[in-house]
Amino acid sequence: MASEGDIVERLWPLVEIHRGRRQAAVRFRPATWRPWLEPHGATQALELGALDTASTSGERLISRDDDLAAARQALSDDPEGLRDLFVAVMLWGAGTTNGRAPRYTSAALRDTRMPHVLEATRSAVRVGELTRAYTEFTLRGVRRSFFTKWLATVDDRDAECERALILDDRVFRSLNALGWSSREAAGTRRWSARYAAYTGAMHEWAGSLGVTAPWLEWLLFDLNGHVEAQ
């Protein structure tokens, strides 16, 4: 596995090239999602974001930094509020490219464990117990790429904390291309420990590079394994 110094050295020119960029808002189609959400009374999130005026099919734009953060602040911490925030995360995470996400979201909404899982994982994240939060997230249809989006969204701790981050396949592809191994960093095959090792490493690298860890996570997502500076 590449050393921490080697990885920061490889990341530095990439950060410099992209430093001025910001993660764009994501489009979603309320009409596609509504039939899957209406049976659960969970359509409130379809009003989030702003109408995409360039769309002819009623698409809306939802952003991570603004809309999801605002939804976290506005929605209550009761089961219904957490459910609506979860749906918002799924909308943002899927956009218009993941056609299976509405079906998977519906499956999660049917899972009787949802109220407990959302409350328990939110509580674990807010006290910095990311390993426990990762372990306790178990809902039908929701895998790591999406439930780490939930963990990152509900983490409202101060910026200096090692806040939860998203770990999906595109981020993993970039980590692998950089020569970093979550298994070696964690010293175990357990995914919960590997996730905690990833968040810790990302915050350390971000501090060395003068950026935030969520921004660095987005950069690795955007690069999708293409980590050679052009």
Side-chain angles (χ1 to χ4, degrees):
M1 184 173 74
S3 70
E4 302 297 308
D6 288 340
I7 291 174
V8 170
E9 185 175 348
R10 291 193 67 185
L11 283 171
W12 183 262
L14 294 167
V15 168
E16 289 303 298
I17 291 169
H18 298 282
R19 191 182 290 272
R21 296 177 61 208
R22 185 184 181 200
Q23 187 171 10
V26 173
R27 289 180 177 82
F28 72 93
R29 296 188 185 98
T32 299
W33 284 81
R34 193 173 299 279
W36 296 96
L37 300 178
E38 279 185 338
H40 309 285
T43 60
Q44 291 85 338
L46 297 180
E47 303 303 318
L48 290 175
L51 183 66
D52 181 4
T53 56
S55 170
T56 59
S57 56
E59 292 180 349
R60 298 184 71 84
L61 294 166
I62 184 171
S63 69
R64 177 183 184 178
D65 291 340
D66 297 325
D67 298 315
L68 284 186
R72 182 184 64 216
Q73 295 296 323
L75 293 170
S76 66
D77 286 342
D78 62 19
E80 185 174 302
L82 293 178
R83 178 205 64 189
D84 291 343
L85 182 58
F86 169 77
V87 172
V89 170
M90 297 296 284
L91 290 171
W92 172 77
T96 58
T97 60
N98 190 327
R100 295 170 293 182
R103 182 171 75 249
Y104 292 157
T105 303
S106 179
L109 290 167
R110 290 195 305 272
D111 194 325
T112 58
R113 297 171 294 181
M114 174 173 276
H116 169 74
V117 168
L118 297 185
E119 194 283 327
T121 54
R122 182 212 57 176
S123 296
V125 164
R126 286 181 170 177
V127 295
E129 296 183 5
L130 301 187
T131 301
R132 178 164 67 88
Y134 189 104
T135 301
E136 292 191 356
F137 198 104
T138 307
L139 289 177
R140 284 195 298 270
V142 187
R143 297 180 181 272
R144 181 190 69 231
S145 290
F146 274 89
F147 77 68
T148 56
K149 291 177 174 66
W150 165 258
L151 302 183
T153 298
V154 298
D155 196 338
D156 58 358
R157 292 177 294 157
D158 293 338
E160 60 268 19
C161 297
E162 290 191 358
R163 296 175 64 175
L165 299 170
I166 299 167
L167 181 56
D168 66 7
D169 291 342
R170 291 172 63 102
V171 173
F172 236 121
R173 203 168 288 124
S174 292
L175 291 170
N176 289 336
L178 289 167
W180 188 81
S181 166
S182 62
R183 188 174 69 182
E184 290 186 36
T188 177
R189 290 179 176 271
R190 286 191 302 110
W191 273 106
S192 57
R194 292 167 70 172
Y195 174 69
Y198 154 73
T199 57
M202 288 285 283
H203 281 274
E204 183 174 341
W205 301 337
S208 298
L209 294 164
V211 296
T212 68
W215 185 88
L216 183 60
E217 166 228 292
W218 166 76
L219 178 62
L220 295 186
F221 169 87
D222 191 60
L223 294 172
N224 194 23
H226 302 290
V227 298
E228 299 302 325
Q230 300 298 318

